[in-house]
Amino acid sequence: METEQTRLAAEQTAFDRFGSRIERLSPDKRPSQDRRVGYEQQVAPQTLSVVREAYSETVMDLSHYEDDYDDTYEESITEEFGPELAVLLTKSDHFLPTTKATLVDKIDIAIQQREAFQRLVNRELQSLRSAATDIRSVTDTLAELSDTPFESSSFGALDAYYQQTDVLFTECDAIASDRQNDLVAIQRSWQSNASLRALVDYFYQSLPVTYPVLATLGELGETISRVRREIEQAIIYGQSAQL
């Protein structure tokens, strides 16, 4: 998630740099009919090539671009700015003022989208850090409990240990519930048709599990159950020894 945060910030900077270069670029003037052919051949291709060069040297020059996108210039601007503007930037004869204005607007939208997604990533990071803190508390308590010599403990102590496993189960359930609520809230805050599953698939595509917090809680639950069985066996053994 930290990597995603860094890459989003880099992309915002790249689009901002691209936008600055486009702002400084003078658009073509629509030529008169009798001069159109010569104008097209000499001026328009050069102007459009400057746009392409600016995009290639900013957005497509990102260190992670090939890993995340690995597409061509035409594919990239079609995805970022839409097919209509992509045609104007690659197939038309002129970089007109209207084309420049539309491109500047699209660049602003690209930056805003990444800012919005970065806020989403920040919320996810906060949720992960909160869950990690709570899980660490459970893990520390469980580690201490696991090291306890149950076979030599009194019945009263074993009963207290048993009740402690109940508390740990309850804490895990609370962490899971909070995490689920956070995920739903994050999905609802994202102004997109993307489903919750699509978001977490994207966030954790490099991991073997889709829901890492819930997976960790599942493993903790298994460990708590194992310790609980050890306590139960010690209680049964102790009671049998007294007969």
Side-chain angles (χ1 to χ4, degrees):
M1 295 300 295
E2 287 84 357
T3 298
E4 182 67 20
Q5 197 176 37
T6 300
R7 289 182 173 184
L8 285 168
E11 289 181 17
Q12 291 172 48
T13 300
F15 273 102
D16 185 61
R17 289 173 54 214
F18 175 55
S20 295
R21 290 177 65 166
I22 296 303
E23 289 279 11
R24 295 194 298 269
L25 184 62
S26 297
D28 301 331
K29 295 180 180 179
R30 187 180 296 277
S32 60
Q33 189 64 37
D34 58 344
R35 298 178 56 213
R36 189 178 299 275
V37 174
Y39 188 90
E40 289 174 354
Q41 291 176 344
Q42 298 177 26
V43 180
Q46 180 181 1
T47 308
L48 291 174
S49 69
V50 171
V51 175
R52 178 171 186 153
E53 180 180 307
Y55 192 81
S56 298
E57 293 178 350
T58 54
V59 178
M60 297 185 74
D61 194 46
L62 288 161
S63 60
H64 64 272
Y65 190 87
E66 185 173 348
D67 290 337
D68 280 10
Y69 301 103
D70 191 25
D71 53 10
T72 65
Y73 170 68
E74 187 170 349
E75 290 169 342
S76 182
I77 61 175
T78 299
E79 180 67 25
E80 293 292 346
F81 307 136
E84 293 183 3
L85 184 54
V87 168
L88 292 175
L89 294 175
T90 59
K91 307 296 184 184
S92 66
D93 297 323
H94 309 288
F95 183 62
L96 299 175
T98 52
T99 305
K100 176 180 177 179
T102 302
L103 178 56
V104 169
D105 288 342
K106 293 289 188 178
I107 293 170
D108 287 341
I109 291 172
I111 294 172
Q112 291 166 12
Q113 288 175 336
R114 283 162 173 79
E115 289 174 342
F117 196 65
Q118 190 170 39
R119 288 193 293 270
L120 196 76
V121 171
N122 288 338
R123 291 190 64 174
E124 174 67 357
L125 274 173
Q126 290 173 2
S127 175
L128 289 176
R129 288 166 180 159
S130 176
T133 298
D134 294 338
I135 288 174
R136 191 175 302 112
S137 175
V138 172
T139 302
D140 291 344
T141 301
L142 184 57
E144 183 178 347
L145 191 59
S146 298
D147 291 338
T148 303
F150 300 128
E151 66 280 357
S152 61
S153 300
S154 66
F155 177 81
L158 290 172
D159 183 62
Y161 297 146
Y162 190 88
Q163 297 302 321
Q164 195 169 17
T165 61
D166 282 339
V167 173
L168 292 176
F169 275 129
T170 300
E171 290 179 353
C172 285
D173 288 343
I175 297 169
S177 178
D178 288 344
R179 176 61 177 157
Q180 288 289 83
N181 290 337
D182 285 348
L183 286 173
V184 171
I186 288 170
Q187 192 273 331
R188 287 177 177 171
S189 70
W190 178 232
Q191 302 300 315
S192 168
N193 293 326
S195 66
L196 175 59
R197 181 56 187 260
L199 282 174
V200 294
D201 280 347
Y202 176 78
F203 285 153
Y204 304 110
Q205 56 188 302
S206 63
L207 299 181
V209 294
T210 305
Y211 297 90
V213 173
L214 300 182
T216 300
L217 290 172
E219 294 173 358
L220 272 178
E222 293 177 359
T223 304
I224 296 170
S225 294
R226 177 183 58 77
V227 172
R228 189 185 184 100
R229 287 193 297 271
E230 293 176 3
I231 296 172
E232 290 172 342
Q233 291 171 359
I235 292 174
I236 294 173
Y237 176 80
Q239 289 176 338
S240 299
Q242 294 177 1
L243 295 179

